[in-house]
Amino acid sequence: MNIYKGLNEITKYIEEHLEEDIQYQNLAKIIGVDVYTMKRIFFLLCNISITEYIRKRRLSNAGCDLMNQKQKVMEIAVKYQYDSATSFSRAFSHFHGIKPSKVDKNTILKNFPRIVLDEKIKVVKDIDYQIVTLDTMTLYGVGMEVTNETIPKLAPQFFSDSRKKYESLYGDIPYGMVTYDKEDREFCNGYFIAYDKKIKGFQKFTIPKGKWLIFTIPSYEAKEIQNLSRTFYAEFLPSAKYNLRGTAELEYYHDGITEFLVPIR
């Protein structure tokens, strides 16, 4: 399946089930991957997490419902899967800038439309890769907090600053590492540079033994690494049907090349 067509089917499914408890497993089945992978692909191609997308679509529709003045606030809260009027009111106020109880037919509200992607975008599936099993790795690193939105800009700058600070002391930086807040990998929360030797003051990371997909590019440039990452998630992974493990991603820098290591089951 064309991944862009698949994501359009996901947003269509969401649209038809906004008033229900949407199960991520059902969305993942549409494009034939597991939940971890579906969430990652959705964010990279839609530029918003699927959790946030569903929340904004529900709040958009809730605003329209309130404009019609046909339902009470609590009824609308329940309709769009909120546990209480208080939590709904808080989310509504943050999104629309006004309390739901204050909405009338003259109120100007925000609208977050359904995402529809261009299904004619060319998908290139020919990417050279290896599958390897690596033993448990112990790395020592320093890093910074990032989000899905900030990592493209902050990670390259942090790596550049770290080279100036640490390479004269400990040698070339061999690894970059992206960590996630939960096993489902929907939101990244940290970027680290790391060494495979113990360094005083550096945080210890134990990377469990397992299978990895490895892609190689002849560059250390952040833009090229980011382009490879996007191509991997958008084009390769949906067609290859590999499922991700809830482990940090690694970039291994050596001999003028970057190996992009993605943990799989």
Side-chain angles (χ1 to χ4, degrees):
M1 175 187 291
N2 178 301
I3 187 58
Y4 299 98
K5 180 179 180 180
L7 290 174
N8 283 340
E9 290 186 13
I10 284 177
T11 61
K12 180 182 178 183
Y13 179 95
I14 290 171
E15 207 66 18
E16 294 171 348
H17 296 81
L18 285 173
E19 299 174 16
E20 304 168 24
D21 180 18
I22 297 173
Q23 298 294 315
Y24 289 152
Q25 291 89 339
N26 293 334
L27 303 182
K29 287 178 182 177
I30 292 174
I31 57 174
V33 297
D34 66 5
V35 172
Y36 298 171
T37 309
M38 180 274 296
K39 287 184 174 182
R40 191 72 175 137
I41 291 171
F42 191 94
F43 174 78
L44 286 171
L45 293 186
C46 298
N47 202 34
I48 185 173
S49 74
I50 197 161
T51 302
E52 184 71 359
Y53 174 75
I54 293 171
R55 186 186 72 84
K56 288 186 174 182
R57 284 299 303 132
R58 283 174 169 161
L59 290 171
S60 291
N61 283 9
C64 293
D65 290 350
L66 283 170
M67 290 278 285
N68 292 330
Q69 296 288 303
K70 293 181 179 179
Q71 294 174 291
K72 296 179 180 179
V73 172
M74 187 60 205
E75 292 173 335
I76 294 176
V78 172
K79 178 180 180 180
Y80 291 109
Q81 303 298 303
Y82 283 85
D83 295 332
S84 68
T86 300
S87 61
F88 171 70
S89 180
R90 186 183 304 115
F92 189 95
S93 298
H94 181 74
F95 180 71
H96 289 287
I98 187 173
K99 292 183 178 180
S101 59
K102 300 295 184 182
V103 173
D104 60 32
K105 63 181 181 180
N106 296 315
T107 304
I108 298 176
L109 298 175
K110 290 183 180 179
N111 178 59
F112 187 86
R114 175 195 165 195
I115 290 175
V116 179
L117 300 171
D118 182 0
E119 297 178 9
K120 296 180 181 179
I121 296 175
K122 184 179 179 181
V123 175
V124 179
K125 298 179 182 177
D126 293 333
I127 302 177
D128 293 331
Y129 68 97
Q130 295 175 278
I131 299 178
V132 300
T133 297
L134 299 179
D135 289 332
T136 300
M137 292 184 285
T138 301
L139 301 178
Y140 297 86
V142 291
M144 65 182 305
E145 292 183 358
V146 295
T147 65
N148 291 354
E149 292 76 18
T150 63
I151 191 171
K153 181 178 180 180
L154 295 182
Q157 186 61 53
F158 183 80
F159 182 84
S160 178
D161 293 342
S162 296
R163 290 181 75 176
K164 296 174 185 178
K165 185 174 183 179
Y166 298 116
E167 283 193 347
S168 62
L169 298 172
Y170 309 120
D172 293 341
I173 297 171
Y175 291 97
M177 180 169 61
V178 180
T179 59
Y180 295 84
D181 65 343
K182 295 180 181 178
E183 191 177 350
D184 65 11
R185 298 163 59 99
E186 186 173 10
F187 301 104
C188 64
N189 64 359
Y191 173 79
F192 295 80
I193 60 96
Y195 289 83
D196 52 6
K197 57 186 177 183
K198 187 174 182 179
I199 298 175
K200 185 177 180 180
F202 279 31
Q203 184 175 347
K204 180 180 178 180
F205 294 92
T206 301
I207 310 298
K209 178 180 178 178
K211 289 184 179 180
W212 300 77
L213 285 172
I214 300 182
F215 304 84
T216 302
I217 56 172
S219 173
Y220 294 165
E221 292 296 320
K223 185 175 182 180
E224 293 187 35
I225 295 171
Q226 290 169 3
N227 285 340
L228 176 62
S229 176
R230 182 180 177 85
T231 299
F232 166 75
Y233 282 108
E235 302 177 2
F236 175 84
L237 196 57
S239 60
K241 299 295 189 293
Y242 292 111
N243 287 318
L244 303 175
R245 282 189 291 130
T247 303
E249 289 174 356
L250 297 175
E251 296 165 4
Y252 178 36
Y253 316 113
H254 64 98
D255 303 316
I257 68 173
T258 297
E259 293 183 0
F260 180 52
L261 288 82
V262 182
I264 60 172
R265 297 184 186 282

Tab-separated table of all heavy atoms in Angstrom, residues 176-220:
chain	number	residue	atom	x	y	z
A	176	GLY	N	25.700	8.861	18.359
A	176	GLY	CA	24.598	9.746	18.706
A	176	GLY	C	23.436	8.844	19.098
A	176	GLY	O	23.316	7.722	18.583
A	177	MET	N	22.598	9.299	20.007
A	177	MET	CA	21.522	8.437	20.500
A	177	MET	C	20.260	9.257	20.739
A	177	MET	O	20.312	10.339	21.329
A	177	MET	CB	21.951	7.759	21.804
A	177	MET	CG	20.919	6.843	22.413
A	177	MET	SD	21.594	5.829	23.779
A	177	MET	CE	22.110	7.119	24.925
A	178	VAL	N	19.127	8.734	20.266
A	178	VAL	CA	17.829	9.370	20.478
A	178	VAL	C	17.027	8.484	21.422
A	178	VAL	O	16.847	7.289	21.162
A	178	VAL	CB	17.053	9.546	19.153
A	178	VAL	CG1	15.702	10.206	19.413
A	178	VAL	CG2	17.871	10.380	18.170
A	179	THR	N	16.552	9.069	22.523
A	179	THR	CA	15.751	8.320	23.490
A	179	THR	C	14.296	8.772	23.418
A	179	THR	O	13.981	9.842	22.897
A	179	THR	CB	16.281	8.509	24.919
A	179	THR	OG1	16.242	9.912	25.260
A	179	THR	CG2	17.707	8.004	25.031
A	180	TYR	N	13.422	7.934	23.984
A	180	TYR	CA	11.982	8.172	23.918
A	180	TYR	C	11.377	8.114	25.312
A	180	TYR	O	11.896	7.441	26.212
A	180	TYR	CB	11.313	7.145	23.003
A	180	TYR	CG	11.764	7.279	21.572
A	180	TYR	CD1	12.939	6.667	21.134
A	180	TYR	CD2	11.047	8.049	20.674
A	180	TYR	CE1	13.377	6.812	19.830
A	180	TYR	CE2	11.472	8.198	19.359
A	180	TYR	CZ	12.639	7.582	18.942
A	180	TYR	OH	13.074	7.738	17.652
A	181	ASP	N	10.246	8.828	25.492
A	181	ASP	CA	9.655	8.908	26.829
A	181	ASP	C	8.931	7.633	27.228
A	181	ASP	O	8.799	7.332	28.405
A	181	ASP	CB	8.715	10.109	26.948
A	181	ASP	CG	7.495	10.005	26.036
A	181	ASP	OD1	7.517	9.201	25.089
A	181	ASP	OD2	6.518	10.724	26.284
A	182	LYS	N	8.473	6.855	26.246
A	182	LYS	CA	7.771	5.616	26.523
A	182	LYS	C	8.183	4.586	25.489
A	182	LYS	O	8.766	4.907	24.460
A	182	LYS	CB	6.248	5.818	26.468
A	182	LYS	CG	5.703	6.753	27.539
A	182	LYS	CD	4.192	6.895	27.397
A	182	LYS	CE	3.641	7.854	28.446
A	182	LYS	NZ	2.168	8.044	28.300
A	183	GLU	N	7.827	3.346	25.776
A	183	GLU	CA	8.212	2.263	24.873
A	183	GLU	C	7.557	2.383	23.507
A	183	GLU	O	8.071	1.882	22.510
A	183	GLU	CB	7.851	0.916	25.501
A	183	GLU	CG	8.453	-0.260	24.749
A	183	GLU	CD	8.151	-1.590	25.404
A	183	GLU	OE1	7.636	-1.584	26.540
A	183	GLU	OE2	8.425	-2.632	24.781
A	184	ASP	N	6.420	3.089	23.433
A	184	ASP	CA	5.737	3.172	22.144
A	184	ASP	C	6.408	4.146	21.174
A	184	ASP	O	6.023	4.252	20.020
A	184	ASP	CB	4.258	3.530	22.314
A	184	ASP	CG	4.043	4.928	22.891
A	184	ASP	OD1	4.998	5.721	22.974
A	184	ASP	OD2	2.893	5.217	23.252
A	185	ARG	N	7.424	4.888	21.643
A	185	ARG	CA	8.283	5.710	20.784
A	185	ARG	C	7.535	6.836	20.070
A	185	ARG	O	8.016	7.370	19.067
A	185	ARG	CB	8.994	4.830	19.741
A	185	ARG	CG	9.913	3.806	20.343
A	185	ARG	CD	10.258	2.722	19.332
A	185	ARG	NE	10.893	3.274	18.145
A	185	ARG	CZ	12.197	3.266	17.944
A	185	ARG	NH1	13.009	2.754	18.828
A	185	ARG	NH2	12.707	3.759	16.843
A	186	GLU	N	6.395	7.237	20.582
A	186	GLU	CA	5.671	8.309	19.915
A	186	GLU	C	6.375	9.653	20.104
A	186	GLU	O	6.399	10.486	19.211
A	186	GLU	CB	4.237	8.404	20.443
A	186	GLU	CG	3.399	9.420	19.672
A	186	GLU	CD	1.938	9.393	20.068
A	186	GLU	OE1	1.586	8.735	21.061
A	186	GLU	OE2	1.146	10.046	19.371
A	187	PHE	N	6.955	9.866	21.280
A	187	PHE	CA	7.601	11.143	21.571
A	187	PHE	C	9.048	10.918	21.992
A	187	PHE	O	9.319	10.224	22.971
A	187	PHE	CB	6.860	11.870	22.701
A	187	PHE	CG	5.419	12.150	22.398
A	187	PHE	CD1	4.422	11.381	22.972
A	187	PHE	CD2	5.057	13.169	21.536
A	187	PHE	CE1	3.086	11.627	22.698
A	187	PHE	CE2	3.732	13.417	21.251
A	187	PHE	CZ	2.747	12.645	21.832
A	188	CYS	N	9.992	11.520	21.260
A	188	CYS	CA	11.379	11.466	21.711
A	188	CYS	C	11.556	12.488	22.840
A	188	CYS	O	10.849	13.493	22.904
A	188	CYS	CB	12.350	11.736	20.569
A	188	CYS	SG	12.251	13.379	19.835
A	189	ASN	N	12.486	12.215	23.733
A	189	ASN	CA	12.692	13.140	24.850
A	189	ASN	C	14.145	13.492	25.099
A	189	ASN	O	14.444	14.322	25.949
A	189	ASN	CB	12.073	12.583	26.139
A	189	ASN	CG	12.743	11.295	26.599
A	189	ASN	OD1	13.674	10.786	25.964
A	189	ASN	ND2	12.281	10.761	27.713
A	190	GLY	N	15.068	12.858	24.371
A	190	GLY	CA	16.462	13.180	24.606
A	190	GLY	C	17.352	12.872	23.423
A	190	GLY	O	17.095	11.950	22.648
A	191	TYR	N	18.399	13.686	23.286
A	191	TYR	CA	19.453	13.406	22.300
A	191	TYR	C	20.779	13.413	23.045
A	191	TYR	O	21.058	14.339	23.815
A	191	TYR	CB	19.479	14.429	21.170
A	191	TYR	CG	20.668	14.216	20.252
A	191	TYR	CD1	20.648	13.221	19.283
A	191	TYR	CD2	21.828	14.976	20.391
A	191	TYR	CE1	21.752	12.984	18.473
A	191	TYR	CE2	22.931	14.758	19.579
A	191	TYR	CZ	22.886	13.760	18.623
A	191	TYR	OH	23.983	13.520	17.831
A	192	PHE	N	21.595	12.380	22.820
A	192	PHE	CA	22.856	12.227	23.539
A	192	PHE	C	24.000	11.971	22.561
A	192	PHE	O	23.810	11.352	21.506
A	192	PHE	CB	22.787	11.040	24.511
A	192	PHE	CG	21.812	11.215	25.629
A	192	PHE	CD1	20.457	10.999	25.416
A	192	PHE	CD2	22.240	11.581	26.892
A	192	PHE	CE1	19.543	11.147	26.447
A	192	PHE	CE2	21.333	11.735	27.931
A	192	PHE	CZ	19.986	11.528	27.716
A	193	ILE	N	25.182	12.433	22.933
A	193	ILE	CA	26.400	11.933	22.302
A	193	ILE	C	26.952	10.916	23.282
A	193	ILE	O	26.807	11.063	24.504
A	193	ILE	CB	27.410	13.051	21.975
A	193	ILE	CG1	27.849	13.817	23.233
A	193	ILE	CG2	26.812	14.002	20.952
A	193	ILE	CD1	29.138	13.335	23.832
A	194	ALA	N	27.575	9.846	22.771
A	194	ALA	CA	27.961	8.766	23.667
A	194	ALA	C	29.267	8.116	23.234
A	194	ALA	O	29.606	8.074	22.045
A	194	ALA	CB	26.852	7.713	23.728
A	195	TYR	N	29.983	7.619	24.234
A	195	TYR	CA	31.221	6.872	24.033
A	195	TYR	C	31.032	5.447	24.543
A	195	TYR	O	30.219	5.200	25.445
A	195	TYR	CB	32.376	7.525	24.793
A	195	TYR	CG	32.845	8.830	24.211
A	195	TYR	CD1	32.203	10.028	24.512
A	195	TYR	CD2	33.953	8.879	23.363
A	195	TYR	CE1	32.636	11.228	23.982
A	195	TYR	CE2	34.402	10.070	22.836
A	195	TYR	CZ	33.736	11.251	23.138
A	195	TYR	OH	34.177	12.440	22.609
A	196	ASP	N	31.818	4.522	23.989
A	196	ASP	CA	31.749	3.139	24.445
A	196	ASP	C	32.823	2.856	25.499
A	196	ASP	O	33.315	1.733	25.615
A	196	ASP	CB	31.861	2.160	23.270
A	196	ASP	CG	33.066	2.443	22.393
A	196	ASP	OD1	33.881	3.324	22.744
A	196	ASP	OD2	33.191	1.776	21.350
A	197	LYS	N	33.187	3.863	26.250
A	197	LYS	CA	34.124	3.718	27.372
A	197	LYS	C	33.619	4.575	28.531
A	197	LYS	O	32.927	5.579	28.327
A	197	LYS	CB	35.527	4.165	26.970
A	197	LYS	CG	35.609	5.597	26.460
A	197	LYS	CD	36.995	5.920	25.945
A	197	LYS	CE	37.060	7.333	25.352
A	197	LYS	NZ	38.384	7.628	24.783
A	198	LYS	N	33.937	4.166	29.725
A	198	LYS	CA	33.450	4.860	30.914
A	198	LYS	C	34.116	6.215	31.050
A	198	LYS	O	35.344	6.334	30.973
A	198	LYS	CB	33.709	4.022	32.166
A	198	LYS	CG	33.072	4.592	33.422
A	198	LYS	CD	33.247	3.643	34.597
A	198	LYS	CE	32.556	4.197	35.840
A	198	LYS	NZ	32.701	3.260	36.990
A	199	ILE	N	33.296	7.238	31.229
A	199	ILE	CA	33.790	8.598	31.402
A	199	ILE	C	33.134	9.187	32.643
A	199	ILE	O	31.907	9.170	32.764
A	199	ILE	CB	33.483	9.468	30.167
A	199	ILE	CG1	34.194	8.900	28.933
A	199	ILE	CG2	33.893	10.917	30.417
A	199	ILE	CD1	33.868	9.621	27.651
A	200	LYS	N	33.930	9.678	33.540
A	200	LYS	CA	33.432	10.211	34.801
A	200	LYS	C	32.441	11.351	34.538
A	200	LYS	O	32.726	12.263	33.761
A	200	LYS	CB	34.583	10.719	35.663
A	200	LYS	CG	34.142	11.191	37.042
A	200	LYS	CD	35.335	11.629	37.885
A	200	LYS	CE	34.883	12.103	39.257
A	200	LYS	NZ	36.048	12.538	40.098
A	201	GLY	N	31.284	11.262	35.177
A	201	GLY	CA	30.265	12.298	35.043
A	201	GLY	C	29.291	12.056	33.916
A	201	GLY	O	28.255	12.730	33.840
A	202	PHE	N	29.583	11.104	33.036
A	202	PHE	CA	28.670	10.786	31.941
A	202	PHE	C	27.635	9.762	32.416
A	202	PHE	O	27.904	8.928	33.267
A	202	PHE	CB	29.425	10.221	30.737
A	202	PHE	CG	30.076	11.263	29.872
A	202	PHE	CD1	30.550	12.448	30.415
A	202	PHE	CD2	30.218	11.064	28.513
A	202	PHE	CE1	31.163	13.410	29.628
A	202	PHE	CE2	30.822	12.014	27.710
A	202	PHE	CZ	31.295	13.200	28.269
A	203	GLN	N	26.441	9.831	31.846
A	203	GLN	CA	25.365	8.911	32.213
A	203	GLN	C	25.582	7.560	31.544
A	203	GLN	O	25.947	7.474	30.369
A	203	GLN	CB	24.022	9.498	31.775
A	203	GLN	CG	22.807	8.668	32.179
A	203	GLN	CD	21.504	9.363	31.822
A	203	GLN	OE1	21.478	10.547	31.503
A	203	GLN	NE2	20.410	8.625	31.892
A	204	LYS	N	25.353	6.487	32.299
A	204	LYS	CA	25.523	5.138	31.768
A	204	LYS	C	24.225	4.662	31.109
A	204	LYS	O	23.149	4.806	31.675
A	204	LYS	CB	25.905	4.177	32.892
A	204	LYS	CG	26.106	2.731	32.440
A	204	LYS	CD	26.485	1.849	33.615
A	204	LYS	CE	26.639	0.387	33.208
A	204	LYS	NZ	27.008	-0.469	34.356
A	205	PHE	N	24.352	4.085	29.928
A	205	PHE	CA	23.208	3.516	29.207
A	205	PHE	C	23.509	2.063	28.870
A	205	PHE	O	24.587	1.754	28.354
A	205	PHE	CB	22.934	4.280	27.911
A	205	PHE	CG	22.489	5.689	28.105
A	205	PHE	CD1	23.418	6.727	28.140
A	205	PHE	CD2	21.144	5.997	28.261
A	205	PHE	CE1	23.007	8.031	28.312
A	205	PHE	CE2	20.729	7.300	28.433
A	205	PHE	CZ	21.657	8.322	28.463
A	206	THR	N	22.564	1.195	29.148
A	206	THR	CA	22.690	-0.203	28.757
A	206	THR	C	21.710	-0.483	27.633
A	206	THR	O	20.495	-0.395	27.812
A	206	THR	CB	22.401	-1.146	29.942
A	206	THR	OG1	23.322	-0.862	31.003
A	206	THR	CG2	22.550	-2.599	29.520
A	207	ILE	N	22.235	-0.783	26.462
A	207	ILE	CA	21.417	-1.064	25.284
A	207	ILE	C	21.289	-2.575	25.164
A	207	ILE	O	22.281	-3.276	24.963
A	207	ILE	CB	22.063	-0.492	24.001
A	207	ILE	CG1	22.465	0.977	24.192
A	207	ILE	CG2	21.122	-0.665	22.819
A	207	ILE	CD1	21.324	1.898	24.474
A	208	PRO	N	20.081	-3.137	25.305
A	208	PRO	CA	19.935	-4.594	25.349
A	208	PRO	C	20.278	-5.275	24.026
A	208	PRO	O	20.182	-4.684	22.958
A	208	PRO	CB	18.453	-4.778	25.686
A	208	PRO	CG	17.789	-3.516	25.242
A	208	PRO	CD	18.795	-2.428	25.447
A	209	LYS	N	20.671	-6.522	24.134
A	209	LYS	CA	20.950	-7.346	22.961
A	209	LYS	C	19.694	-7.464	22.110
A	209	LYS	O	18.583	-7.576	22.621
A	209	LYS	CB	21.403	-8.739	23.393
A	209	LYS	CG	21.676	-9.693	22.247
A	209	LYS	CD	22.121	-11.049	22.762
A	209	LYS	CE	22.358	-12.031	21.619
A	209	LYS	NZ	22.830	-13.354	22.112
A	210	GLY	N	19.874	-7.444	20.807
A	210	GLY	CA	18.716	-7.577	19.940
A	210	GLY	C	19.057	-7.358	18.487
A	210	GLY	O	20.217	-7.155	18.117
A	211	LYS	N	18.016	-7.391	17.659
A	211	LYS	CA	18.178	-7.196	16.224
A	211	LYS	C	18.126	-5.709	15.872
A	211	LYS	O	17.390	-4.931	16.492
A	211	LYS	CB	17.083	-7.933	15.455
A	211	LYS	CG	17.210	-9.438	15.473
A	211	LYS	CD	16.125	-10.080	14.608
A	211	LYS	CE	16.252	-11.593	14.589
A	211	LYS	NZ	15.214	-12.222	13.747
A	212	TRP	N	18.885	-5.365	14.841
A	212	TRP	CA	18.932	-3.980	14.374
A	212	TRP	C	18.913	-3.945	12.849
A	212	TRP	O	19.529	-4.793	12.190
A	212	TRP	CB	20.210	-3.287	14.840
A	212	TRP	CG	20.383	-3.213	16.324
A	212	TRP	CD1	20.777	-4.217	17.158
A	212	TRP	CD2	20.164	-2.069	17.148
A	212	TRP	NE1	20.829	-3.769	18.451
A	212	TRP	CE2	20.462	-2.455	18.476
A	212	TRP	CE3	19.759	-0.752	16.901
A	212	TRP	CZ2	20.357	-1.584	19.556
A	212	TRP	CZ3	19.660	0.130	17.967
A	212	TRP	CH2	19.952	-0.278	19.272
A	213	LEU	N	18.215	-2.970	12.310
A	213	LEU	CA	18.371	-2.614	10.895
A	213	LEU	C	19.461	-1.559	10.815
A	213	LEU	O	19.455	-0.602	11.594
A	213	LEU	CB	17.074	-2.029	10.334
A	213	LEU	CG	15.922	-2.976	10.046
A	213	LEU	CD1	14.680	-2.163	9.700
A	213	LEU	CD2	16.268	-3.905	8.890
A	214	ILE	N	20.372	-1.726	9.879
A	214	ILE	CA	21.467	-0.769	9.734
A	214	ILE	C	21.482	-0.216	8.313
A	214	ILE	O	21.505	-0.965	7.331
A	214	ILE	CB	22.830	-1.419	10.048
A	214	ILE	CG1	22.845	-1.943	11.487
A	214	ILE	CG2	23.943	-0.407	9.834
A	214	ILE	CD1	24.176	-2.566	11.893
A	215	PHE	N	21.459	1.118	8.222
A	215	PHE	CA	21.574	1.835	6.949
A	215	PHE	C	22.818	2.705	7.024
A	215	PHE	O	23.113	3.281	8.075
A	215	PHE	CB	20.352	2.716	6.706
A	215	PHE	CG	19.054	1.962	6.747
A	215	PHE	CD1	18.416	1.714	7.949
A	215	PHE	CD2	18.480	1.484	5.591
A	215	PHE	CE1	17.229	1.011	8.002
A	215	PHE	CE2	17.295	0.780	5.626
A	215	PHE	CZ	16.664	0.537	6.829
A	216	THR	N	23.509	2.820	5.931
A	216	THR	CA	24.780	3.549	5.933
A	216	THR	C	24.770	4.668	4.905
A	216	THR	O	24.322	4.474	3.764
A	216	THR	CB	25.945	2.589	5.632
A	216	THR	OG1	25.954	1.536	6.598
A	216	THR	CG2	27.278	3.327	5.691
A	217	ILE	N	25.271	5.827	5.318
A	217	ILE	CA	25.473	6.928	4.377
A	217	ILE	C	26.898	7.456	4.555
A	217	ILE	O	27.417	7.465	5.671
A	217	ILE	CB	24.454	8.075	4.571
A	217	ILE	CG1	24.495	8.598	6.004
A	217	ILE	CG2	23.069	7.642	4.180
A	217	ILE	CD1	23.648	9.845	6.206
A	218	PRO	N	27.544	7.904	3.471
A	218	PRO	CA	28.938	8.364	3.541
A	218	PRO	C	29.035	9.816	4.010
A	218	PRO	O	29.587	10.672	3.311
A	218	PRO	CB	29.417	8.198	2.096
A	218	PRO	CG	28.195	8.449	1.280
A	218	PRO	CD	27.055	7.868	2.076
A	219	SER	N	28.511	10.104	5.181
A	219	SER	CA	28.484	11.490	5.646
A	219	SER	C	28.199	11.527	7.141
A	219	SER	O	27.572	10.613	7.693
A	219	SER	CB	27.394	12.268	4.892
A	219	SER	OG	27.232	13.567	5.437
A	220	TYR	N	28.658	12.617	7.783
A	220	TYR	CA	28.277	12.913	9.162
A	220	TYR	C	27.267	14.061	9.213
A	220	TYR	O	26.889	14.507	10.291
A	220	TYR	CB	29.493	13.335	9.995
A	220	TYR	CG	30.541	12.264	10.223
A	220	TYR	CD1	31.807	12.632	10.695
A	220	TYR	CD2	30.293	10.919	9.993
A	220	TYR	CE1	32.793	11.688	10.931
A	220	TYR	CE2	31.272	9.963	10.218
A	220	TYR	CZ	32.525	10.348	10.685
A	220	TYR	OH	33.501	9.413	10.915
